[in-house]
Amino acid sequence: MARIVLKFGGTSVADIDRIKNVARHVKREVDAGHDVAVVVSAMSGKTNELVGWCRAASPIHDAREYDAVVASGEQVTAGLLAITLQAMGVNARSWQGWQIAIKTDGAHGAARIQEIDAAEIVRRFADNQVAVIAGFQGIAPDNRIATLGRGGSDTSAVAVAAAIKADRCDIYTDVDGVYTTDPRIEPKARRMSRISFEEMLEMASLGAKVLQVRSVELAMVHKVRMFVRSSFEDPDAPGMGDFDNPPGTLICDEDEIVEQQVVTGIAYARDEAQISLRRVEDQPGVAAAIFGPLAEAGVNVDMIVQNISESGATTDMTFTVPAGDLQKATAVLETAKSAMRYEAIQSEQGLTKVSVIGVGMRSHTGVAATAFKALASRGINIRAITTSEIKISILIDGEYTELAVRALHSVYGLDKP
Amino acid sequence: MARIVLKFGGTSVADIDRIKNVARHVKREVDAGHDVAVVVSAMSGKTNELVGWCRAASPIHDAREYDAVVASGEQVTAGLLAITLQAMGVNARSWQGWQIAIKTDGAHGAARIQEIDAAEIVRRFADNQVAVIAGFQGIAPDNRIATLGRGGSDTSAVAVAAAIKADRCDIYTDVDGVYTTDPRIEPKARRMSRISFEEMLEMASLGAKVLQVRSVELAMVHKVRMFVRSSFEDPDAPGMGDFDNPPGTLICDEDEIVEQQVVTGIAYARDEAQISLRRVEDQPGVAAAIFGPLAEAGVNVDMIVQNISESGATTDMTFTVPAGDLQKATAVLETAKSAMRYEAIQSEQGLTKVSVIGVGMRSHTGVAATAFKALASRGINIRAITTSEIKISILIDGEYTELAVRALHSVYGLDKP
């Protein structure tokens, strides 16, 4: 007997039939004797509809009112799932954020969870009662509903798992696990059985949209084992209820992964834009002069490369931003041209960042060289490189995305069973 | 300067454009210097959608979960109206039932308001803050959301008005007042400027669907002056902001109505069914034996007529029920036939109850006779009659409905200005 949190996203609860399917997943775990808490998102499309109404009412709106409106989506799903579970003979009740209470800070619209009083929920486990919890929301110090920002239900689930000291937090989604790379690009991509928090963080933030980055960070801090699995498989298919080895991907501490791969996955992010500032005066403080105003404007600067020019008196500064931020970034740079002391701006869109990820890199050399060779042999030009302890990111032209992903996936042997 | 509650129903807040129109009504009252609380329903169609989901999840469902789901509709509208008001420069915030708190009893799904702590709302009137309150809901002793039953937002508005000691509770709806009868049947129907609580109760419960009966009862008990007016008129049209004499119908204490009419209105209710039990043994307790089981089954018995049969040993018992209850009523009666001691059941559907209403009847005689004569002269057969102090109800064949309404409207001079 274990204690688990099950989290279901919007597509998994999109209509009553799917909610009934979700209830079967829950019932399976209850019947196995586990203590079960469920965290649900709003029906898919619902949050967008509510957000759209807020914007239509006023483009600029009070985040506290936005929260009251938008949090209603999860409230509805939680109630409907509780009703469905009861109809299947499962003792269940819904909980809204303010009822538990899930206490957040006062940053309405993008609040952070500060404390969860899970005592009552845990007490009711003794009566085999399932707690069905509205995700994405809590209550702020002003006694008003606060939402955690888009995708916050994953974060709710991990926070609840930490609060009730769950053995695992199962994230049910529309894919059946985390793959070595995107299977739509590389059909030979394999589902990983385990991946470390650190690697998942890199995978998540680099474009593998399975999990919210925040939830993985939180799980890492509180050592909550997360498990990514599909809500669309038959809940009663063989193996689905195997607690120790269900189908999916476990995200866990590095220590739990016995045989560590050097490289565990290839991620990519399209729609990157590159900005180059030509002939920037090469003197102390110039980077701060450039990136300070961009940060203030909320532009998300990623890869930064600085080359010394031939003369030595000026330098070229190149960096990437999401394509959606390009216009804003260019405006900021042009406004501050005199302070930044550059001669010209060049920019380019339609780029892709491919990344090679693996905690094993820490103890292995030559990983980067292997990547560069693989890309070079296919005639793919490298525009920029950044590295961290456990990843290598390479900026390339977008049209080479699929080719590069497949080449890297193959060169590290990820397509072998 | 006055203190008023404005209540807007579902059709008045059906979309963002209509919510903006509602906000203009609110702003007009704020600009006039009044303290304003607003009570809103869910967008029209929303509650039906939510109820439909609950039923699809399970035909029989936990009323506490139903409440959590269904109350979300008003929560959304309250937030959206607050956003809209803020965008127009009006200081406003939304309040959910549990935040105020509007305390109810534990009868989830059909709760009754027990107490409203309006101190904070009143305090904020000093800052010209408008309280936008989610109607139809409160919080039960179990700390869970409770709804007041369908149409409960009118009741919420009156209860809030009583709690904040409002000078008036304006019910904005899709009609512009209470008419002497249904204008779709009698184009000469006139809007009343005033009607007493008692008369309105009869009008409301007899099929004039302008207001919820419960809200009028509550208003009568707490002496809350209600005002029925249209939300679809231009909020800034001449006279709309005239506090003492706006367009619409005031529902108030009898004492406020200086020149009382003998008859103030004609109401009707279609879809009545009549049940006759033939040759019931005429002995003490027979009525209890018949109507006890019907009440237990939740059948709403209305007009009851008992005739002595010729022999004197048996009697015929005739009564009406809403057509929707006919099947259930018949089943109850057949099951209990031996205890009830009747010989045969007859039933008929498609009947209409027309009613003549007026507090002036108390002091005038001959009102009923005038009605009977008017119907007789048009060949309309009277199937049953019931009377109270301020109304006469007459059961007729449904096909005569319009003719009867027009005849009665005319015979009491209601079509004269």
Side-chain angles (χ1 to χ4, degrees):
Chain A
M1 209 201 77
R3 179 171 292 173
I4 48 177
V5 172
L6 279 58
K7 185 264 169 180
F8 296 90
T11 53
S12 305
V13 293
D15 56 38
I16 300 296
D17 280 343
R18 289 196 181 168
I19 290 174
K20 287 183 177 172
N21 192 58
V22 161
R24 291 174 60 209
H25 283 290
V26 175
K27 185 176 190 321
R28 183 192 63 229
E29 304 297 344
V30 173
D31 288 348
H34 303 312
D35 293 342
V36 178
V38 185
V39 174
V40 287
S41 300
M43 292 171 159
S44 66
K46 216 20 101 178
T47 304
N48 284 340
E49 181 183 62
L50 295 165
V51 170
W53 285 339
C54 289
R55 291 200 181 130
S58 171
I60 299 165
H61 43 252
D62 187 340
R64 297 166 298 187
E65 301 300 347
Y66 167 95
D67 281 351
V69 172
V70 174
S72 66
E74 283 72 16
Q75 174 177 339
V76 169
T77 322
L80 292 175
L81 180 56
I83 288 172
T84 309
L85 284 167
Q86 291 174 359
M88 292 167 62
V90 176
N91 181 6
R93 80 153 268 190
S94 69
W95 295 88
Q96 295 172 54
W98 58 270
Q99 288 174 324
I100 294 180
I102 296 177
K103 292 181 185 159
T104 71
D105 60 17
H108 282 277
R112 298 189 81 85
I113 295 175
Q114 295 192 316
E115 196 191 334
I116 298 181
D117 180 4
E120 183 62 19
I121 286 173
V122 168
R123 202 187 61 71
R124 290 167 182 236
F125 285 148
D127 305 329
N128 289 318
Q129 189 178 84
V130 174
V132 183
I133 300 167
F136 176 59
Q137 61 179 263
I139 185 155
D142 58 5
N143 203 33
R144 300 183 70 175
I145 293 173
T147 66
L148 310 182
R150 293 306 294 268
S153 290
D154 284 354
T155 307
S156 298
V158 171
V160 167
I164 67 172
K165 301 193 189 347
D167 298 285
R168 210 171 65 203
C169 178
D170 285 8
I171 308 286
Y172 284 79
T173 179
D174 47 8
V175 296
D176 67 353
V178 182
Y179 278 71
T180 49
T181 195
D182 186 343
R184 288 168 302 181
I185 288 184
E186 174 51 274
K188 291 181 202 152
R190 288 177 304 102
R191 187 173 72 197
M192 300 180 228
S193 59
R194 297 187 172 207
I195 181 173
S196 71
F197 291 122
E198 291 85 348
E199 288 167 324
M200 189 64 220
L201 270 182
E202 296 291 353
M203 295 289 276
S205 55
L206 290 169
K209 299 196 174 74
V210 183
L211 288 175
Q212 279 291 311
V213 173
R214 274 173 73 190
S215 69
V216 182
E217 286 171 355
L218 194 67
M220 186 163 71
V221 171
H222 292 282
K223 300 223 182 283
V224 172
R225 301 162 83 232
M226 295 176 83
F227 196 80
V228 176
R229 55 191 301 182
S230 167
S231 68
F232 292 110
E233 282 173 47
D234 178 1
D236 301 314
M240 289 294 283
D242 179 349
F243 184 77
D244 294 320
N245 194 25
T249 301
L250 181 70
I251 302 151
C252 58
D253 204 84
E254 220 176 299
D255 303 342
E256 279 199 69
I257 303 172
V258 181
E259 201 165 346
Q260 198 58 253
Q261 304 277 332
V262 177
V263 169
T264 49
I266 311 295
Y268 67 95
R270 296 186 204 261
D271 288 326
E272 299 283 313
Q274 189 178 38
I275 299 176
S276 293
L277 299 180
R278 294 295 178 198
R279 285 177 290 284
V280 180
E281 273 190 32
D282 192 9
Q283 59 184 31
V286 65
I290 292 169
F291 297 113
L294 288 171
E296 277 165 33
V299 174
N300 194 5
V301 173
D302 184 14
M303 307 170 90
I304 301 175
V305 181
Q306 185 173 357
N307 293 326
I308 302 298
S309 63
E310 283 167 32
S311 72
T314 64
T315 180
D316 288 351
M317 189 76 85
T318 299
F319 53 89
T320 63
V321 298
D325 282 357
L326 179 58
Q327 210 178 351
K328 187 161 60 172
T330 310
V332 169
L333 293 170
E334 277 168 358
T335 307
K337 185 172 180 182
S338 59
M340 292 178 183
R341 306 198 188 189
Y342 62 85
E343 211 176 284
I345 300 183
Q346 293 174 340
S347 68
E348 198 155 351
Q349 297 187 60
L351 307 180
T352 291
K353 182 170 66 173
V354 290
S355 299
V356 177
I357 294 154
V359 290
M361 284 185 205
R362 289 193 195 118
S363 49
H364 281 71
T365 54
V367 177
T370 303
F372 303 153
K373 206 185 294 172
L375 297 181
S377 73
R378 281 160 183 87
I380 303 172
N381 187 36
I382 295 176
R383 292 173 152 271
I385 300 163
T386 55
T387 61
S388 79
E389 233 190 339
I390 65 164
K391 76 145 197 253
I392 303 151
S393 291
I394 301 167
L395 192 69
I396 60 172
D397 286 346
E399 58 184 336
Y400 292 102
T401 306
E402 293 84 357
L403 183 64
V405 167
R406 284 192 287 259
L408 294 172
H409 194 260
S410 161
V411 76
Y412 295 109
L414 294 174
D415 45 6
K416 298 197 185 93
Chain B
M1 207 202 79
R3 181 170 292 173
I4 48 177
V5 172
L6 279 59
K7 185 263 169 180
F8 296 91
T11 53
S12 305
V13 293
D15 56 38
I16 300 295
D17 280 342
R18 291 197 181 166
I19 289 174
K20 287 183 177 173
N21 192 58
V22 161
R24 291 173 59 208
H25 282 290
V26 175
K27 185 176 189 321
R28 182 191 66 230
E29 303 296 343
V30 173
D31 288 348
H34 303 311
D35 294 342
V36 178
V38 185
V39 174
V40 288
S41 299
M43 292 170 159
S44 67
K46 213 22 98 178
T47 304
N48 284 340
E49 181 183 62
L50 294 166
V51 170
W53 284 340
C54 288
R55 290 198 182 133
S58 172
I60 299 164
H61 43 252
D62 186 339
R64 296 165 298 187
E65 302 300 347
Y66 167 94
D67 281 350
V69 172
V70 174
S72 66
E74 283 72 17
Q75 174 177 338
V76 169
T77 322
L80 292 175
L81 179 56
I83 287 172
T84 308
L85 284 167
Q86 291 174 0
M88 291 168 64
V90 176
N91 181 7
R93 81 152 270 191
S94 70
W95 295 88
Q96 294 172 54
W98 58 270
Q99 288 174 325
I100 293 179
I102 296 178
K103 291 182 187 159
T104 71
D105 61 17
H108 282 277
R112 298 190 82 86
I113 295 174
Q114 294 193 317
E115 195 191 333
I116 298 182
D117 180 3
E120 183 63 20
I121 287 173
V122 169
R123 202 188 60 71
R124 290 167 183 238
F125 285 148
D127 305 328
N128 289 316
Q129 189 178 84
V130 174
V132 183
I133 299 167
F136 175 60
Q137 62 180 262
I139 185 156
D142 58 6
N143 202 33
R144 300 183 70 175
I145 293 173
T147 66
L148 309 183
R150 294 306 293 270
S153 290
D154 285 354
T155 307
S156 298
V158 172
V160 167
I164 67 173
K165 302 192 190 346
D167 297 286
R168 209 172 64 203
C169 179
D170 283 9
I171 308 287
Y172 285 79
T173 181
D174 47 8
V175 297
D176 67 353
V178 182
Y179 279 72
T180 48
T181 194
D182 186 343
R184 289 168 302 183
I185 288 183
E186 173 52 273
K188 291 182 205 152
R190 289 177 303 101
R191 187 173 73 195
M192 301 179 226
S193 58
R194 299 189 170 204
I195 180 174
S196 71
F197 291 123
E198 291 84 350
E199 288 166 323
M200 188 65 219
L201 269 182
E202 297 291 353
M203 294 289 276
S205 56
L206 290 170
K209 300 196 173 73
V210 183
L211 288 173
Q212 278 292 311
V213 174
R214 274 173 72 190
S215 68
V216 182
E217 286 170 354
L218 195 65
M220 184 163 70
V221 171
H222 292 283
K223 301 225 181 280
V224 172
R225 302 164 82 233
M226 295 176 83
F227 195 81
V228 176
R229 55 191 301 183
S230 168
S231 68
F232 293 110
E233 282 173 48
D234 178 2
D236 301 313
M240 287 296 281
D242 178 350
F243 184 76
D244 293 320
N245 195 25
T249 301
L250 182 70
I251 302 150
C252 58
D253 204 84
E254 219 175 301
D255 302 343
E256 279 199 68
I257 303 172
V258 180
E259 201 166 347
Q260 199 58 254
Q261 304 279 333
V262 176
V263 169
T264 49
I266 311 296
Y268 66 94
R270 295 186 203 261
D271 289 326
E272 299 282 313
Q274 189 177 38
I275 299 176
S276 293
L277 298 181
R278 294 293 178 202
R279 285 176 291 284
V280 181
E281 273 189 31
D282 194 11
Q283 59 184 30
V286 66
I290 292 169
F291 297 113
L294 288 172
E296 277 165 33
V299 173
N300 195 6
V301 173
D302 184 14
M303 307 172 88
I304 301 175
V305 181
Q306 185 173 356
N307 294 326
I308 302 298
S309 63
E310 284 168 32
S311 71
T314 64
T315 179
D316 288 350
M317 189 76 85
T318 299
F319 53 90
T320 63
V321 298
D325 282 358
L326 178 58
Q327 209 177 353
K328 187 161 62 172
T330 311
V332 169
L333 293 170
E334 277 168 358
T335 307
K337 185 173 179 181
S338 59
M340 292 178 183
R341 307 198 187 190
Y342 62 86
E343 209 176 285
I345 300 183
Q346 293 175 340
S347 68
E348 198 155 352
Q349 298 185 60
L351 307 179
T352 291
K353 181 171 66 174
V354 290
S355 300
V356 177
I357 295 154
V359 289
M361 284 186 206
R362 290 192 193 120
S363 50
H364 282 71
T365 53
V367 177
T370 304
F372 304 151
K373 206 185 296 174
L375 297 180
S377 73
R378 283 163 183 84
I380 303 172
N381 186 35
I382 295 175
R383 292 173 150 271
I385 300 164
T386 56
T387 61
S388 79
E389 233 190 341
I390 65 164
K391 76 147 197 251
I392 303 151
S393 292
I394 301 167
L395 192 69
I396 60 172
D397 286 346
E399 58 185 337
Y400 293 101
T401 306
E402 293 84 356
L403 183 64
V405 167
R406 284 191 287 260
L408 294 171
H409 194 261
S410 160
V411 76
Y412 294 109
L414 294 175
D415 45 6
K416 295 196 188 97

